[in-house]
Amino acid sequence: MSAEAVHAESFIRRYLFSTDHKTIGKQYLLTAFFMGLFAVGWSILIRIQLAWPHANLPLLSRLFPGLYQDGVLLPERYLSLVTMHGTVMVFFVISFALVSGFGNFIIPLHIGARDMAYPVLNMLSYWTAVPACILMIASFFVPDGAAAAGWTAYPPLSALPQAVPGSGWGQTLWLLGMALFIASFTMGSLNFVTTILNLRTKGMSMFRMPLTVWTLFISSVLGILAFPALTAAAIMLLLDRHGGTSFFLPSGLVVGGQVLEHSGGTPLLFQHLFWFLGHPEVYILVLPAIGIAFDVVAVFGRRPVFGYRTSIWALLVIGVLSMIVWGHHMFTSGMNPYLGEYFSVATVAITVPFAVLGMNLIASLWRAEIRLHPAMLFALAMIAAIGLGGLGGLWLGTASSDMYLHDSYFVVGHFHFMIGVVTAFGIFAGTYYWFPKMFGRMIDQRLGKIHFWATSVGVFFAFIAMHFLGLGGVLRRTYDPTAYEYTASVTWLNLPISIALFLAAAAQVVFLVNFFWSMFRGQKAEANPWEAATLEWTTPSPAPHLNWRELPSVFRGPYEYRTDGRAAGYRSQVVPDEPPAEVRA
Amino acid sequence: MERITPYRTYWLVWIVLLALTLSMIVAEGAPLARGLVVSFILLAMLLKVTMIGAWYMHLRLERAALILSVVLATFVTAAALFFLLVPEAISLPQAGP
Amino acid sequence: MTTVAMGSSETAAPVAHWQGGVSPFAVSWQKLMMWIFLVTDALLFAGFLASYGFVRLASPAWPEQNEVFPMLKIAAMTFVLITSSATMATAVGAAHRRDLKRAMVFVALTALGGLLFLLAQATEWATLIAEGARLTHNPWGPAPFAAFFFMITGFHGSHVLIGVILLTVVALRLWRGRATGMGVEVAGLYWHFVDVVWCFIFPLFYLL
Ligand code: HEM
Ligand SMILES: [Cu+2]
């Protein structure tokens, strides 16, 4: 089978029900952007509420009659907004774009395969994800509104349909959507792991794979190991809601003055099962972003990445440890104090391999000749975000300080650095970097830089400031930030935070315009515009069906830059001769 | 799989599996210390699973890398979940003796 | 759209004509994928069983299983399932010897064993429901006791059902001479896995 056997395919088969990994990757990426519009939109409504809590907003009231009444956001809808923003961002934007999008697009190209191991399963994965998106969005249109129990869906709130308005149909749709998402993600992970293990081209040993592939590999393995716990929890929660079981419901609950029939269960169990997935999930998302940063820093810094192998070992250690630290989300749940101490120690231990990754990224810049392409800018800023988020993590991982900080805006600031900034910047870096290979055209750099600076100023200001809100005692998920007298000295920060985030949101408009404009009107791209050494740049842009005419053979690692002492000098992975002794510049 | 397992082996394993199952049921009703009974049943359970994996699923003939990956990944993850939940469950106020 | 585009080039070709390096596990991708699937499916059951352990340990009391379940019947069900695993292993062995006829007979026997198991399970459910077991409550002890019973055995039973369907398909393909040794083996892996899960459920839920 050679790549030129291009067939007359119908539009449907080519773009909709395609089994080509590149098309599926792009479908996921575009779906992520589409879902991102919703998630960002909801966050804007949240920030408006927090910036001007008592304002009358007749226009919004007219636009969203379900959410507002008489110009005021309904408190229960505020909870729906935070819930859906979190859920959609984590699972339907970041996971779609970073893991499913880039994963599908880049894994076969990076390891020299024609496609995924099981392309039909891959297509199935995408077409399971689409109804999941529809269910999530649909939950805003059911009578009682979307789920309102937080993206963590803690019972009893989520288990009792009569508890709050959003606990009705909205919560059920949320659970069904999540179930479909998990099925889709699992199918994707099966393909990723199998493909990476079995379909590498000649000479592509595991220790010659780019770090992006390594991070995607570990993310997929984590998903395979951790998601079943959430599946089990979701099934039990559905049974509690609709089958009358009491897995998560203790006796003596009173709702609306009525004592409930349930007895014998415990909500603590759900927290454990949720975070058994929840914590690995955040690493599933952050690791591919870091992997992309490594690749981008090497290409645009014209340096081999520092400590390629130590990074891989650090990734493996992170993978193992991330499965056994979930309890740090539950320090205040009344958990067994010995167990809490254990989780605290394990959590702080995980910062060590994490710091190794961060330091390796920084050390890769040593004597680099940096080309400030937008991809590189995003990768560099990501390093800063990793540091800031990690520092916050240390405070939170220490049980004694977490007692004070838990459920405050400090946590919100921490995880937005990690799961917001790092991952989003990974998506952007990857998009700017691989755009030529995806669409055969160059993306505009000037608009890219505007996008970068506006986004960075906005998010860094906002999320650093949120840490101070948290230190001042402001709790997350509060509808009215002026409700507590004792936080009055810090809540003024809400207005500048909102303005900073509006700036960042506006920057995304620039990005989308740039993206679609360049897709059709951008300058035509050559096969290897960045002088990069990895395999995807040895095939034309855009990559043809089945990727290569002849599968390439690999002779060296992925990061041989400045091999002749000059910044432009590099050796592609397919160059056969052994490098002479004076490789080091 | 290159090597072929004789049919007889499968049925020998079958006999052992049945014997183990039977012994578990007998042990459950035996007038022995509870700890002893529980340990025996759990041990027999693990033995059964190992035999099915090794002979019926042919893990015996696979590379050590596959065996280790599959078995360790499953058991370590399940054990992490289970053993970190136990101290929590028994320290809840309503827990039994 | 041509049939060529459908069958060979799009799905099979990238893999069939693959000229790459070696898998560290030295197994085909089909088998590897099934193994990985079994890992995640096993962990789903681990999630259920760990939850059951959690609730049971956190409960003031738990029913004496001997008084609830008909142990003789459960033992017979276990016997059937283990025997079906042995017939499945025989079928895989026959498929590897290219003895398709024997393979078909033993795959069919395995499916029959699965059906028998499901039948016994169904009557067990019926008996317990007649005695008053419900998802919401039960006459013997804490409410989650019966709920866990229905959920765990139900999930295992649905896996058996899927296995029976899968095996029927495999048997038909063998009959037409279309099944490969690989296909039988991968289906066999799934079937043995269902047995392995029962090996955990039986002592953890019924005995201890
Ligand atoms: C340096 C390592 C890290 C440490 C020590 C750490 C520690 C913690 C702790 C202890 C909490 C719980 C705070 C509380 O609720 O009281 C937390 C929350 C969180 N962390 Fe981290 N973290 C680290 C890295 C990350 C990374 C890399 C991500 C994501 C990519 C992340 C995402 C989150 C999220 C999403 C939450 C909040 C979940 C919620 O309650 O809604 N963290 N972190
Ligand atoms: Cu965590």
Side-chain angles (χ1 to χ4, degrees):
Chain A
M1 183 76 226
S2 68
E4 63 221 290
V6 181
H7 352 269
E9 292 164 311
S10 67
F11 175 85
I12 291 190
R13 185 144 184 98
R14 183 124 182 236
Y15 293 109
L16 276 182
F17 295 101
S18 170
T19 52
D20 184 324
H21 72 97
K22 297 184 290 298
T23 309
I24 294 175
K26 287 183 229 168
Q27 284 174 325
Y28 264 118
L29 195 64
L30 291 177
T31 313
F33 289 165
F34 178 73
M35 294 301 278
L37 293 180
F38 285 94
V40 170
W42 296 330
S43 75
I44 289 175
L45 297 184
I46 296 169
R47 284 318 312 181
I48 290 175
Q49 166 65 20
L50 293 177
W52 300 284
H54 305 296
N56 193 305
L57 308 156
L59 180 65
L60 288 176
S61 199
R62 196 107 56 77
L63 282 175
F64 307 109
L67 301 175
Y68 289 79
Q69 209 163 53
D70 303 326
V72 179
L73 180 64
L74 293 165
E76 63 267 28
R77 295 296 185 262
Y78 176 82
L79 291 181
S80 291
L81 286 175
V82 256
T83 302
M84 297 305 287
H85 165 75
T87 310
V88 169
M89 275 295 190
V90 168
F91 297 105
F92 293 83
V93 179
I94 295 166
S95 182
F96 272 12
L98 264 185
V99 183
S100 312
F102 288 130
N104 273 312
F105 181 79
I106 213 60
I107 286 176
L109 282 171
H110 256 169
I111 63 172
R114 292 227 182 274
D115 206 319
M116 286 287 173
Y118 197 170
V120 173
L121 189 71
N122 217 13
M123 179 185 78
L124 215 63
S125 155
Y126 178 71
W127 286 104
T128 314
V130 171
C133 294
I134 294 173
L135 285 181
M136 280 291 163
I137 303 286
S139 71
F140 261 97
F141 298 97
V142 293
D144 289 330
W151 80 282
T152 51
Y154 279 6
L157 208 54
S158 58
L160 299 169
Q162 65 273 43
V164 287
S167 299
W169 267 103
Q171 190 70 44
T172 301
L173 288 178
W174 186 95
L175 281 165
L176 295 176
M178 280 309 295
L180 285 183
F181 170 84
I182 295 172
S184 152
F185 190 89
T186 306
M187 287 188 247
S189 298
L190 285 176
N191 245 329
F192 287 7
V193 175
T194 314
T195 307
I196 292 172
L197 287 177
N198 268 28
L199 262 61
R200 281 165 292 117
T201 189
K202 274 201 206 84
M204 179 57 85
S205 63
M206 293 296 275
F207 283 103
R208 280 182 182 167
M209 299 195 305
L211 282 166
T212 304
V213 179
W214 264 104
T215 50
L216 285 163
F217 177 66
I218 291 169
S219 288
S220 309
V221 171
L222 285 179
I224 282 166
L225 297 180
F227 264 113
L230 182 65
T231 316
I235 290 166
M236 290 179 351
L237 196 54
L238 272 175
L239 281 171
D240 272 3
R241 293 170 56 76
H242 298 291
T245 57
S246 312
F247 294 121
F248 303 132
L249 293 168
S251 54
L253 285 178
V254 181
V255 175
Q258 268 198 316
V259 184
L260 300 180
E261 295 266 337
H262 293 280
S263 74
T266 151
L268 214 52
L269 174 60
F270 182 88
Q271 298 193 14
H272 277 293
L273 292 176
F274 181 88
W275 287 115
F276 187 80
L277 160 83
H279 187 81
E281 169 68 17
V282 303
Y283 285 85
I284 290 172
L285 300 180
V286 84
L287 292 183
I290 294 178
I292 291 173
F294 270 110
D295 276 356
V296 167
V297 161
V299 172
F300 294 95
R302 313 310 297 167
R303 293 287 296 165
V305 305
F306 182 86
Y308 171 76
R309 274 183 189 246
T310 45
S311 299
I312 291 173
W313 290 114
L315 285 170
L316 290 169
V317 173
I318 288 177
V320 171
L321 284 181
S322 74
M323 300 290 297
I324 50 174
V325 297
W326 76 85
H328 62 219
H329 295 274
M330 302 166 58
F331 286 140
T332 59
S333 68
M335 84 186 333
N336 184 320
Y338 293 107
L339 199 60
E341 189 55 34
Y342 155 76
F343 277 126
S344 192
V345 171
T347 302
V348 176
I350 212 171
T351 58
V352 175
F354 220 83
V356 170
L357 284 186
M359 290 303 163
N360 281 354
L361 268 173
I362 294 175
S364 302
L365 297 170
W366 177 251
R367 293 172 58 191
E369 286 184 25
I370 294 176
R371 299 175 176 175
L372 281 181
H373 186 268
M376 185 63 165
L377 288 171
F378 276 111
L380 292 176
M382 182 202 298
I383 304 177
I386 294 172
L388 287 167
L391 276 179
L394 275 175
W395 291 47
L396 297 172
T398 311
S400 39
S401 48
D402 183 66
M403 293 289 169
Y404 175 72
L405 294 169
H406 177 67
D407 250 353
S408 76
Y409 259 85
F410 193 92
V411 179
V412 179
H414 158 71
F415 72 69
H416 274 94
F417 263 122
M418 283 305 198
I419 219 170
V421 180
V422 173
T423 53
F425 281 20
I427 296 172
F428 294 139
T431 308
Y432 284 107
Y433 178 44
W434 283 308
F435 194 88
K437 196 52 62 183
M438 286 185 169
F439 302 105
R441 291 177 186 275
M442 305 300 287
I443 192 162
D444 188 82
Q445 288 213 29
R446 217 157 26 105
L447 287 178
K449 284 183 185 165
I450 296 174
H451 172 218
F452 168 76
W453 286 109
T455 311
S456 290
V457 169
V459 295
F460 275 89
F461 174 82
F463 298 138
I464 289 176
M466 281 186 188
H467 285 77
F468 290 99
L469 278 182
L471 287 170
V474 180
L475 294 179
R476 67 194 286 201
R477 293 173 185 161
T478 14
Y479 167 71
D480 180 1
T482 60
Y484 300 101
E485 192 75 47
Y486 70 93
T487 59
S489 62
V490 284
T491 39
W492 62 270
L493 270 169
N494 270 323
L495 180 61
I497 290 177
S498 287
I499 291 172
L501 288 174
F502 296 152
L503 173 70
Q508 307 321 305
V509 179
V510 178
F511 170 68
L512 286 181
V513 168
N514 190 5
F515 186 89
F516 287 106
W517 185 85
S518 303
M519 206 162 132
F520 297 106
R521 290 272 177 283
Q523 190 194 335
K524 282 248 190 280
E526 336 153 17
N528 188 1
W530 315 130
E531 304 178 297
T534 42
L535 285 187
E536 75 269 31
W537 304 106
T538 61
T539 191
S541 308
H545 188 54
L546 301 180
N547 298 346
W548 288 273
R549 196 175 282 260
E550 278 305 319
L551 277 185
S553 295
V554 170
F555 296 93
R556 59 193 73 252
Y559 301 119
E560 296 201 355
Y561 290 102
R562 208 190 288 175
T563 44
D564 56 359
R566 287 177 303 120
Y570 69 100
R571 234 182 233 107
S572 168
Q573 285 190 281
V574 297
V575 175
D577 61 320
E578 276 309 307
E582 74 288 334
V583 170
R584 272 146 285 135
Chain B
M1 200 121 3
E2 274 73 43
R3 278 179 286 167
I4 300 259
T5 314
Y7 292 126
R8 240 176 59 126
T9 314
Y10 294 134
W11 293 94
L12 283 177
V13 171
W14 175 70
I15 291 176
V16 178
L17 288 176
L18 287 186
L20 279 172
T21 311
L22 217 66
S23 71
M24 284 159 93
I25 298 172
V26 172
E28 213 282 322
L32 293 169
R34 184 74 187 151
L36 207 64
V37 171
V38 172
S39 324
F40 175 80
I41 291 182
L42 290 182
L43 215 69
M45 172 183 91
L46 289 179
L47 203 60
K48 271 172 69 179
V49 171
T50 314
M51 290 183 71
I52 296 178
W55 274 281
Y56 285 176
M57 301 172 98
H58 295 115
L59 272 181
R60 204 168 49 91
L61 305 177
E62 303 288 6
R63 279 207 185 161
L66 181 71
I67 305 175
L68 278 180
S69 310
V70 168
V71 173
L72 276 187
T74 316
F75 274 84
V76 171
T77 312
L81 181 60
F82 190 75
F83 286 108
L84 290 176
L85 286 185
V86 168
E88 181 83 329
I90 56 182
S91 60
L92 286 179
Q94 73 269 28
Chain C
M1 167 185 28
T2 60
T3 35
V4 180
M6 282 283 304
S8 54
S9 72
E10 291 273 301
T11 57
V15 177
H17 292 259
W18 171 63
Q19 332 142 356
V22 201
S23 151
F25 295 154
V27 293
S28 65
W29 68 263
Q30 292 96 330
K31 217 156 116 181
L32 184 59
M33 201 175 263
M34 180 49 92
W35 270 113
I36 303 171
F37 170 74
L38 294 184
V39 169
T40 126
D41 213 21
L43 288 170
L44 177 61
F45 281 103
F48 286 142
L49 284 171
S51 306
Y52 150 72
F54 187 96
V55 171
R56 177 167 171 181
L57 286 172
S59 292
W62 203 251
E64 195 51 65
Q65 289 103 320
N66 279 327
E67 294 158 16
V68 181
F69 301 116
M71 273 309 163
L72 212 61
K73 186 173 191 179
I74 311 293
M77 281 164 65
T78 310
F79 173 83
V80 169
L81 211 55
I82 290 178
T83 310
S84 78
S85 245
T87 55
M88 188 72 230
T90 309
V92 173
H96 277 297
R97 294 177 175 86
R98 311 280 336 132
D99 185 352
L100 295 192
K101 197 154 154 251
R102 189 197 287 249
M104 191 201 76
V105 171
F106 275 91
V107 169
L109 277 176
T110 310
L112 208 67
L115 272 183
L116 214 63
F117 178 88
L118 283 177
L119 212 67
Q121 183 105 75
T123 56
E124 192 201 354
W125 275 41
T127 320
L128 288 174
I129 290 171
E131 287 168 7
R134 296 287 183 278
L135 281 174
T136 45
H137 59 94
N138 64 80
W140 307 287
F145 168 65
F148 270 118
F149 167 77
F150 286 122
M151 185 175 70
I152 292 179
T153 58
F155 253 82
H156 178 262
S158 61
H159 275 72
V160 176
L161 184 64
I162 291 170
V164 168
I165 295 169
L166 197 72
L167 291 177
T168 313
V169 173
V170 171
L172 285 177
R173 285 174 64 99
L174 278 168
W175 191 41
R176 301 219 189 107
R178 283 180 53 206
T180 56
M182 171 68 63
V184 181
E185 192 178 351
V186 170
L189 283 181
Y190 176 81
W191 189 260
H192 296 308
F193 165 76
V194 172
D195 193 17
V196 164
V197 170
W198 188 255
C199 279
F200 283 101
I201 295 177
F202 172 63
L204 295 180
F205 203 90
Y206 290 94
L207 284 183
L208 293 178

